[in-house]
């Protein structure tokens, strides 16, 4: 009963929303959102029609069963035996067939829902992955996951069922109303007026309910943020010895949530009591009217039973029809949130990029000319900058933290693009292509930080080469100076590591990440502070192994380590947002300064 009253309030609130959107001219957005939803469901149109027909048949059989039960009661109470067996068969048969059709409808709905859910998720996944790096970066990971899972599930669960449900619900309401009208017009009016009367009365509670819902959700969101940040930074909290303080903070958030939730709960109970009393009043009016008709001989016991059961059914059908309004709006909101991701600007793809592939064994040069780039307008991160790295070279990028070294790496990868100037990949024959999404397969990249995923060591490496053999994985681990400790682990390359490489030292995690890049064996290797946790000897061995593996590999490293600079053919410095090449004397002096 409480759920029905809450859905009634929600339905009225949603109707108000639709009226307001119509007045403000934004109702068209809702329509557009549903057009987008139907673009996924239209290929299941025949299944949707079948679903609708089954629903209508199920409702019809349910009404036939109710009418048959009326005559059965009349026969039994009148001590008549005429057609009793036939009516019993009709009543039981109709009920069984109605149950069968309802079960089939649920099965079809579940199948269609999972199909369309997979269709939408797969399509959206591809489009998010292909979105512009800067554009998609405006959304938090949690928000993207929420849209990808919760919103897609909302859309998929309603994309198939919403239209058939509203057709079936309207048919149920109209058919039930006319069945009651056939036997008593007054009773039909009483039954019809009960639902809208309760709907109108619920308006009084909407504003207060909104306030409570908002406060409860705000506190719940704040508490969830606290929980996520706490678990993510557990190592830091433990290291500072402040676990008890965080336990106290958690209990404070729980207390705030408890107080607000219980206030909302009390308000809901009071609201439901009032709404239930109104419902009981209408029900009692209908019951007394039926008793009066029965007392005066205007109806039979069977007709009275039919009136009372179908009055409740009519009210339920009305609530179901109106209850589809918030479903309609919720799906529209979810669709709009999904569309925001789907319609993000896409990465740049240059079809001619495949022309470079024929020269892979000779290596490639990376050339930047007069590059200007800013994440925020009028705030340069890179300006007036040139850069070059050729096959067989190790080229270093040095400079203070935050000056733009990682931005340089992103420019080379084609994750971002300069506002002015060019970043190009040049093959041996002079073929030159701007760095873009379709040139990224020529790179192997080891970023800053821990990039180890949960799973086995072999699985971590195979993410860049799915068909890699165990022998290839072991060879890559040897080149990356990681096999010495991996071979001592209980299951070797099949040993499981936890998320973010828990259980491994920072140096071990870096060596596995480097080995993963080595297994990819791309002609261009980017190492962004990737050897910072290695000792000098291991670092030098790793870099020598990389150069030996493929002599024409172009290797670019961002670093603060003097040992790396000694191995580099050229050194570029990023200072004051400008990239400049250092002379041999300046490079040597920098090593001394280190």
């Amino acid at each position: 009963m409480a759920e029905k009253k809450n859905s009634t309030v929600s339905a009225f609130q949603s109707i108000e929303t639709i009226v307001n959107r119509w007045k403000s001219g934004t109702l068209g957005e809702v329509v557009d959102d549903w057009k987008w939803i139907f673009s996924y469901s239209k290929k299941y149109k025949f299944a949707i029609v079948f679903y609708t027909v089954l629903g209508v048949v199920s409702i019809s059989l349910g009404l036939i069963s109710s009418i048959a039960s009326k005559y059965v009661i009349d026969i039994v109470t009148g001590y008549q035996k005429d057609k009793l067996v036939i009516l019993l068969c009709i009543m039981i048969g109709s009920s069984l067939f109605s149950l069968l059709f309802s079960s089939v409808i649920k099965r079809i709905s579940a199948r269609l829902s999972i199909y369309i859910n997979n269709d939408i998720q797969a399509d959206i996944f591809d489009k998010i992955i292909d979105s512009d790096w800067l554009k998609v970066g405006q959304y938090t990971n949690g928000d993207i996951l929420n849209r990808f899972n919760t919103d897609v599930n909302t859309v998929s669960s309603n994309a198939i069922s919403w239209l058939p449900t509203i057709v079936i619900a309207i048919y149920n309401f109209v058919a039930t109303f006319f069945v009651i009208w056939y036997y008593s017009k007054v009773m039909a009016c009483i039954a019809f007026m009960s639902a809208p009367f309760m709907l109108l009365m619920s308006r009084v509670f909407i504003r207060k309910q909104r306030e409570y819902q908002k406060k409860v959700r705000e506190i719940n969101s704040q508490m969830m943020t606290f929980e996520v940040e706490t678990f993510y930074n557990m190592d830091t909290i433990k290291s500072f010895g402040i676990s008890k303080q965080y336990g106290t903070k958690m209990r404070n958030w729980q207390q705030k949530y408890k107080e607000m939730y219980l206030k909302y709960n009390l308000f809901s109970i009071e609201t439901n009591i009032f709404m239930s009393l109104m419902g009981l009043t209408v029900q009692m009016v209908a019951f007394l009217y039926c008793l009066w008709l029965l007392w005066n001989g205007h109806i039979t016991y069977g007709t009275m039973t039919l009136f009372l059961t179908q009055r409740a059914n009519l009210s339920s059908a009305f609530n179901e029809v109106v209850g589809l309004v918030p479903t309609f709006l919720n799906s529209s909101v979810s669709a709009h949130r999904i569309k925001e991701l789907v319609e993000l600007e896409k990465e740049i793809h240059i079809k001619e990029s495949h022309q470079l592939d024929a020269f892979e064994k000779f290596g490639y040069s990376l050339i930047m000319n007069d590059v200007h780039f800013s994440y925020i307008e009028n705030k340069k991160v890179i300006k007036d900058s040139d850069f070059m790295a050729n096959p067989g070279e190790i080229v270093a990028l040095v400079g203070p933290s935050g000056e733009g070294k990682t931005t340089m790496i992103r420019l080379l990868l084609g994750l971002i693009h300069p506002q002015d100037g060019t970043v190009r990949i040049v093959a041996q024959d002079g073929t030159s292509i701007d760095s873009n999404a379709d040139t990224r397969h020529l790179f192997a990249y080891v970023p800053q930080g821990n990039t180890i995923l949960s799973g086995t060591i072999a699985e971590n490496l195979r993410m860049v080469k799915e068909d890699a053999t165990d022998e290839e994985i072991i060879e890559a681990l040897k080149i990356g100076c990681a096999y010495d400790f991996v071979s001592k682990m209980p299951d070797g390359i099949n040993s499981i590591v936890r998320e973010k490489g828990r259980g491994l030292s920072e140096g071990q995690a870096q060596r596995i990440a480097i080995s993963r890049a080595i297994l990819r064996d791309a002609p261009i290797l980017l190492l962004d502070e990737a050897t910072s946790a290695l000792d000098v000897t291991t670092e030098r061995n790793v870099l020598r192994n990389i150069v030996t593996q493929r002599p024409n590999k172009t290797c670019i490293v961002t670093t603060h380590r003097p040992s790396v600079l000694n191995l580099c053919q050229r050194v570029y410095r990023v200072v004051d947002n400008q990239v400049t090449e250092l002379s041999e004397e300046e490079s040597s002096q920098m090593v001394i300064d280190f």
Side-chain angles (χ1 to χ4, degrees), residues 518-542:
I518 290 169
L519 179 65
R520 184 175 175 86
D521 194 23
I524 305 170
L525 177 64
L526 304 179
L527 302 173
D528 191 4
E529 299 286 358
T531 59
S532 59
L534 306 184
D535 60 78
V536 173
T537 301
T538 302
E539 180 184 52
R540 294 178 71 87
N541 288 337
V542 167

PDB file of all heavy atoms in Angstrom, residues 518-542:
ATOM      1  N   ILE A 518      57.518  -3.679 -23.644  1.00  0.00           N
ATOM      2  CA  ILE A 518      58.498  -4.412 -24.462  1.00  0.00           C
ATOM      3  C   ILE A 518      57.800  -5.511 -25.255  1.00  0.00           C
ATOM      4  O   ILE A 518      58.094  -5.745 -26.429  1.00  0.00           O
ATOM      5  CB  ILE A 518      59.613  -4.993 -23.568  1.00  0.00           C
ATOM      6  CG1 ILE A 518      60.480  -3.852 -23.024  1.00  0.00           C
ATOM      7  CG2 ILE A 518      60.450  -6.004 -24.328  1.00  0.00           C
ATOM      8  CD1 ILE A 518      61.439  -4.284 -21.937  1.00  0.00           C
ATOM      9  N   LEU A 519      56.854  -6.222 -24.623  1.00  0.00           N
ATOM     10  CA  LEU A 519      56.114  -7.288 -25.308  1.00  0.00           C
ATOM     11  C   LEU A 519      55.346  -6.724 -26.501  1.00  0.00           C
ATOM     12  O   LEU A 519      55.251  -7.391 -27.540  1.00  0.00           O
ATOM     13  CB  LEU A 519      55.146  -7.963 -24.331  1.00  0.00           C
ATOM     14  CG  LEU A 519      54.285  -9.088 -24.917  1.00  0.00           C
ATOM     15  CD1 LEU A 519      55.153 -10.262 -25.347  1.00  0.00           C
ATOM     16  CD2 LEU A 519      53.239  -9.555 -23.898  1.00  0.00           C
ATOM     17  N   ARG A 520      54.850  -5.539 -26.383  1.00  0.00           N
ATOM     18  CA  ARG A 520      54.143  -4.912 -27.510  1.00  0.00           C
ATOM     19  C   ARG A 520      55.096  -4.704 -28.689  1.00  0.00           C
ATOM     20  O   ARG A 520      54.682  -4.777 -29.851  1.00  0.00           O
ATOM     21  CB  ARG A 520      53.553  -3.573 -27.070  1.00  0.00           C
ATOM     22  CG  ARG A 520      52.726  -2.889 -28.156  1.00  0.00           C
ATOM     23  CD  ARG A 520      52.068  -1.631 -27.591  1.00  0.00           C
ATOM     24  NE  ARG A 520      51.351  -0.867 -28.594  1.00  0.00           N
ATOM     25  CZ  ARG A 520      50.099  -1.069 -28.968  1.00  0.00           C
ATOM     26  NH1 ARG A 520      49.421  -2.063 -28.413  1.00  0.00           N
ATOM     27  NH2 ARG A 520      49.523  -0.309 -29.881  1.00  0.00           N
ATOM     28  N   ASP A 521      56.384  -4.458 -28.370  1.00  0.00           N
ATOM     29  CA  ASP A 521      57.440  -4.342 -29.389  1.00  0.00           C
ATOM     30  C   ASP A 521      57.055  -3.343 -30.481  1.00  0.00           C
ATOM     31  O   ASP A 521      57.199  -3.618 -31.671  1.00  0.00           O
ATOM     32  CB  ASP A 521      57.741  -5.706 -30.006  1.00  0.00           C
ATOM     33  CG  ASP A 521      59.063  -5.689 -30.801  1.00  0.00           C
ATOM     34  OD1 ASP A 521      59.907  -4.818 -30.515  1.00  0.00           O
ATOM     35  OD2 ASP A 521      59.212  -6.515 -31.708  1.00  0.00           O
ATOM     36  N   ALA A 522      56.543  -2.181 -30.056  1.00  0.00           N
ATOM     37  CA  ALA A 522      56.201  -1.127 -31.015  1.00  0.00           C
ATOM     38  C   ALA A 522      57.465  -0.357 -31.384  1.00  0.00           C
ATOM     39  O   ALA A 522      58.436  -0.321 -30.624  1.00  0.00           O
ATOM     40  CB  ALA A 522      55.172  -0.188 -30.402  1.00  0.00           C
ATOM     41  N   PRO A 523      57.493   0.274 -32.553  1.00  0.00           N
ATOM     42  CA  PRO A 523      58.699   0.980 -33.001  1.00  0.00           C
ATOM     43  C   PRO A 523      59.000   2.256 -32.215  1.00  0.00           C
ATOM     44  O   PRO A 523      60.109   2.783 -32.287  1.00  0.00           O
ATOM     45  CB  PRO A 523      58.389   1.305 -34.468  1.00  0.00           C
ATOM     46  CG  PRO A 523      56.908   1.238 -34.573  1.00  0.00           C
ATOM     47  CD  PRO A 523      56.455   0.230 -33.598  1.00  0.00           C
ATOM     48  N   ILE A 524      57.998   2.767 -31.466  1.00  0.00           N
ATOM     49  CA  ILE A 524      58.217   3.968 -30.652  1.00  0.00           C
ATOM     50  C   ILE A 524      57.873   3.642 -29.200  1.00  0.00           C
ATOM     51  O   ILE A 524      56.793   3.118 -28.913  1.00  0.00           O
ATOM     52  CB  ILE A 524      57.342   5.138 -31.133  1.00  0.00           C
ATOM     53  CG1 ILE A 524      57.578   5.419 -32.619  1.00  0.00           C
ATOM     54  CG2 ILE A 524      57.628   6.396 -30.315  1.00  0.00           C
ATOM     55  CD1 ILE A 524      56.590   6.401 -33.219  1.00  0.00           C
ATOM     56  N   LEU A 525      58.794   3.939 -28.300  1.00  0.00           N
ATOM     57  CA  LEU A 525      58.596   3.654 -26.880  1.00  0.00           C
ATOM     58  C   LEU A 525      58.627   4.957 -26.093  1.00  0.00           C
ATOM     59  O   LEU A 525      59.559   5.755 -26.219  1.00  0.00           O
ATOM     60  CB  LEU A 525      59.688   2.716 -26.366  1.00  0.00           C
ATOM     61  CG  LEU A 525      59.656   2.385 -24.871  1.00  0.00           C
ATOM     62  CD1 LEU A 525      58.383   1.620 -24.507  1.00  0.00           C
ATOM     63  CD2 LEU A 525      60.884   1.574 -24.468  1.00  0.00           C
ATOM     64  N   LEU A 526      57.581   5.178 -25.277  1.00  0.00           N
ATOM     65  CA  LEU A 526      57.500   6.362 -24.424  1.00  0.00           C
ATOM     66  C   LEU A 526      57.546   5.924 -22.968  1.00  0.00           C
ATOM     67  O   LEU A 526      56.724   5.118 -22.534  1.00  0.00           O
ATOM     68  CB  LEU A 526      56.190   7.119 -24.684  1.00  0.00           C
ATOM     69  CG  LEU A 526      55.921   7.564 -26.129  1.00  0.00           C
ATOM     70  CD1 LEU A 526      54.573   8.284 -26.211  1.00  0.00           C
ATOM     71  CD2 LEU A 526      57.022   8.469 -26.642  1.00  0.00           C
ATOM     72  N   LEU A 527      58.517   6.440 -22.239  1.00  0.00           N
ATOM     73  CA  LEU A 527      58.671   6.111 -20.820  1.00  0.00           C
ATOM     74  C   LEU A 527      58.524   7.404 -20.021  1.00  0.00           C
ATOM     75  O   LEU A 527      59.401   8.274 -20.058  1.00  0.00           O
ATOM     76  CB  LEU A 527      60.041   5.478 -20.552  1.00  0.00           C
ATOM     77  CG  LEU A 527      60.368   4.204 -21.332  1.00  0.00           C
ATOM     78  CD1 LEU A 527      61.820   3.780 -21.084  1.00  0.00           C
ATOM     79  CD2 LEU A 527      59.428   3.072 -20.944  1.00  0.00           C
ATOM     80  N   ASP A 528      57.404   7.533 -19.314  1.00  0.00           N
ATOM     81  CA  ASP A 528      57.143   8.756 -18.545  1.00  0.00           C
ATOM     82  C   ASP A 528      57.488   8.513 -17.079  1.00  0.00           C
ATOM     83  O   ASP A 528      56.686   8.001 -16.315  1.00  0.00           O
ATOM     84  CB  ASP A 528      55.668   9.148 -18.707  1.00  0.00           C
ATOM     85  CG  ASP A 528      55.376  10.537 -18.165  1.00  0.00           C
ATOM     86  OD1 ASP A 528      56.319  11.225 -17.735  1.00  0.00           O
ATOM     87  OD2 ASP A 528      54.192  10.940 -18.180  1.00  0.00           O
ATOM     88  N   GLU A 529      58.725   8.882 -16.697  1.00  0.00           N
ATOM     89  CA  GLU A 529      59.228   8.634 -15.332  1.00  0.00           C
ATOM     90  C   GLU A 529      59.078   7.164 -14.973  1.00  0.00           C
ATOM     91  O   GLU A 529      58.807   6.807 -13.827  1.00  0.00           O
ATOM     92  CB  GLU A 529      58.463   9.492 -14.311  1.00  0.00           C
ATOM     93  CG  GLU A 529      58.595  10.989 -14.515  1.00  0.00           C
ATOM     94  CD  GLU A 529      59.957  11.534 -14.093  1.00  0.00           C
ATOM     95  OE1 GLU A 529      60.779  10.744 -13.617  1.00  0.00           O
ATOM     96  OE2 GLU A 529      60.182  12.741 -14.246  1.00  0.00           O
ATOM     97  N   ALA A 530      59.263   6.298 -15.977  1.00  0.00           N
ATOM     98  CA  ALA A 530      58.958   4.873 -15.805  1.00  0.00           C
ATOM     99  C   ALA A 530      60.062   4.103 -15.080  1.00  0.00           C
ATOM    100  O   ALA A 530      59.866   2.943 -14.720  1.00  0.00           O
ATOM    101  CB  ALA A 530      58.707   4.234 -17.165  1.00  0.00           C
ATOM    102  N   THR A 531      61.241   4.718 -14.895  1.00  0.00           N
ATOM    103  CA  THR A 531      62.352   4.014 -14.218  1.00  0.00           C
ATOM    104  C   THR A 531      62.708   4.684 -12.901  1.00  0.00           C
ATOM    105  O   THR A 531      63.762   4.422 -12.331  1.00  0.00           O
ATOM    106  CB  THR A 531      63.592   3.985 -15.124  1.00  0.00           C
ATOM    107  OG1 THR A 531      63.981   5.333 -15.442  1.00  0.00           O
ATOM    108  CG2 THR A 531      63.311   3.235 -16.413  1.00  0.00           C
ATOM    109  N   SER A 532      61.804   5.531 -12.401  1.00  0.00           N
ATOM    110  CA  SER A 532      62.112   6.315 -11.201  1.00  0.00           C
ATOM    111  C   SER A 532      62.312   5.469  -9.956  1.00  0.00           C
ATOM    112  O   SER A 532      63.023   5.870  -9.027  1.00  0.00           O
ATOM    113  CB  SER A 532      60.997   7.334 -10.951  1.00  0.00           C
ATOM    114  OG  SER A 532      59.753   6.669 -10.781  1.00  0.00           O
ATOM    115  N   ALA A 533      61.689   4.283  -9.916  1.00  0.00           N
ATOM    116  CA  ALA A 533      61.793   3.434  -8.723  1.00  0.00           C
ATOM    117  C   ALA A 533      62.871   2.362  -8.855  1.00  0.00           C
ATOM    118  O   ALA A 533      63.022   1.519  -7.972  1.00  0.00           O
ATOM    119  CB  ALA A 533      60.438   2.779  -8.442  1.00  0.00           C
ATOM    120  N   LEU A 534      63.614   2.367  -9.980  1.00  0.00           N
ATOM    121  CA  LEU A 534      64.648   1.358 -10.203  1.00  0.00           C
ATOM    122  C   LEU A 534      65.987   1.875  -9.716  1.00  0.00           C
ATOM    123  O   LEU A 534      66.274   3.075  -9.763  1.00  0.00           O
ATOM    124  CB  LEU A 534      64.745   0.999 -11.686  1.00  0.00           C
ATOM    125  CG  LEU A 534      63.450   0.548 -12.385  1.00  0.00           C
ATOM    126  CD1 LEU A 534      63.762   0.139 -13.818  1.00  0.00           C
ATOM    127  CD2 LEU A 534      62.784  -0.595 -11.633  1.00  0.00           C
ATOM    128  N   ASP A 535      66.842   0.961  -9.276  1.00  0.00           N
ATOM    129  CA  ASP A 535      68.208   1.368  -8.951  1.00  0.00           C
ATOM    130  C   ASP A 535      68.950   1.660 -10.256  1.00  0.00           C
ATOM    131  O   ASP A 535      68.506   1.270 -11.348  1.00  0.00           O
ATOM    132  CB  ASP A 535      68.919   0.281  -8.138  1.00  0.00           C
ATOM    133  CG  ASP A 535      69.008  -1.027  -8.905  1.00  0.00           C
ATOM    134  OD1 ASP A 535      69.875  -1.127  -9.790  1.00  0.00           O
ATOM    135  OD2 ASP A 535      68.193  -1.939  -8.626  1.00  0.00           O
ATOM    136  N   VAL A 536      70.080   2.358 -10.143  1.00  0.00           N
ATOM    137  CA  VAL A 536      70.798   2.825 -11.327  1.00  0.00           C
ATOM    138  C   VAL A 536      71.217   1.673 -12.230  1.00  0.00           C
ATOM    139  O   VAL A 536      71.072   1.730 -13.458  1.00  0.00           O
ATOM    140  CB  VAL A 536      72.036   3.649 -10.909  1.00  0.00           C
ATOM    141  CG1 VAL A 536      72.890   3.997 -12.136  1.00  0.00           C
ATOM    142  CG2 VAL A 536      71.600   4.912 -10.193  1.00  0.00           C
ATOM    143  N   THR A 537      71.724   0.588 -11.646  1.00  0.00           N
ATOM    144  CA  THR A 537      72.189  -0.542 -12.454  1.00  0.00           C
ATOM    145  C   THR A 537      71.039  -1.171 -13.238  1.00  0.00           C
ATOM    146  O   THR A 537      71.151  -1.436 -14.441  1.00  0.00           O
ATOM    147  CB  THR A 537      72.835  -1.610 -11.542  1.00  0.00           C
ATOM    148  OG1 THR A 537      73.927  -1.021 -10.842  1.00  0.00           O
ATOM    149  CG2 THR A 537      73.333  -2.784 -12.367  1.00  0.00           C
ATOM    150  N   THR A 538      69.920  -1.418 -12.557  1.00  0.00           N
ATOM    151  CA  THR A 538      68.756  -2.008 -13.227  1.00  0.00           C
ATOM    152  C   THR A 538      68.238  -1.080 -14.305  1.00  0.00           C
ATOM    153  O   THR A 538      67.872  -1.524 -15.407  1.00  0.00           O
ATOM    154  CB  THR A 538      67.636  -2.298 -12.204  1.00  0.00           C
ATOM    155  OG1 THR A 538      68.139  -3.169 -11.193  1.00  0.00           O
ATOM    156  CG2 THR A 538      66.450  -2.953 -12.877  1.00  0.00           C
ATOM    157  N   GLU A 539      68.212   0.206 -14.014  1.00  0.00           N
ATOM    158  CA  GLU A 539      67.724   1.185 -14.984  1.00  0.00           C
ATOM    159  C   GLU A 539      68.555   1.147 -16.262  1.00  0.00           C
ATOM    160  O   GLU A 539      68.010   1.115 -17.379  1.00  0.00           O
ATOM    161  CB  GLU A 539      67.779   2.579 -14.353  1.00  0.00           C
ATOM    162  CG  GLU A 539      67.295   3.692 -15.266  1.00  0.00           C
ATOM    163  CD  GLU A 539      67.466   5.032 -14.594  1.00  0.00           C
ATOM    164  OE1 GLU A 539      68.577   5.336 -14.114  1.00  0.00           O
ATOM    165  OE2 GLU A 539      66.485   5.796 -14.556  1.00  0.00           O
ATOM    166  N   ARG A 540      69.858   1.145 -16.120  1.00  0.00           N
ATOM    167  CA  ARG A 540      70.734   1.136 -17.289  1.00  0.00           C
ATOM    168  C   ARG A 540      70.580  -0.173 -18.069  1.00  0.00           C
ATOM    169  O   ARG A 540      70.567  -0.184 -19.304  1.00  0.00           O
ATOM    170  CB  ARG A 540      72.193   1.336 -16.860  1.00  0.00           C
ATOM    171  CG  ARG A 540      72.454   2.704 -16.256  1.00  0.00           C
ATOM    172  CD  ARG A 540      73.897   2.842 -15.789  1.00  0.00           C
ATOM    173  NE  ARG A 540      74.807   2.931 -16.918  1.00  0.00           N
ATOM    174  CZ  ARG A 540      75.128   4.067 -17.544  1.00  0.00           C
ATOM    175  NH1 ARG A 540      74.605   5.210 -17.136  1.00  0.00           N
ATOM    176  NH2 ARG A 540      75.974   4.069 -18.551  1.00  0.00           N
ATOM    177  N   ASN A 541      70.451  -1.295 -17.353  1.00  0.00           N
ATOM    178  CA  ASN A 541      70.271  -2.591 -18.020  1.00  0.00           C
ATOM    179  C   ASN A 541      68.972  -2.635 -18.815  1.00  0.00           C
ATOM    180  O   ASN A 541      68.939  -3.141 -19.944  1.00  0.00           O
ATOM    181  CB  ASN A 541      70.279  -3.724 -16.983  1.00  0.00           C
ATOM    182  CG  ASN A 541      71.655  -3.973 -16.410  1.00  0.00           C
ATOM    183  OD1 ASN A 541      72.672  -3.626 -17.035  1.00  0.00           O
ATOM    184  ND2 ASN A 541      71.714  -4.571 -15.228  1.00  0.00           N
ATOM    185  N   VAL A 542      67.903  -2.083 -18.239  1.00  0.00           N
ATOM    186  CA  VAL A 542      66.611  -2.073 -18.916  1.00  0.00           C
ATOM    187  C   VAL A 542      66.702  -1.281 -20.212  1.00  0.00           C
ATOM    188  O   VAL A 542      66.274  -1.740 -21.283  1.00  0.00           O
ATOM    189  CB  VAL A 542      65.511  -1.479 -17.995  1.00  0.00           C
ATOM    190  CG1 VAL A 542      64.253  -1.164 -18.802  1.00  0.00           C
ATOM    191  CG2 VAL A 542      65.169  -2.452 -16.883  1.00  0.00           C
TER     192      VAL A 542
END
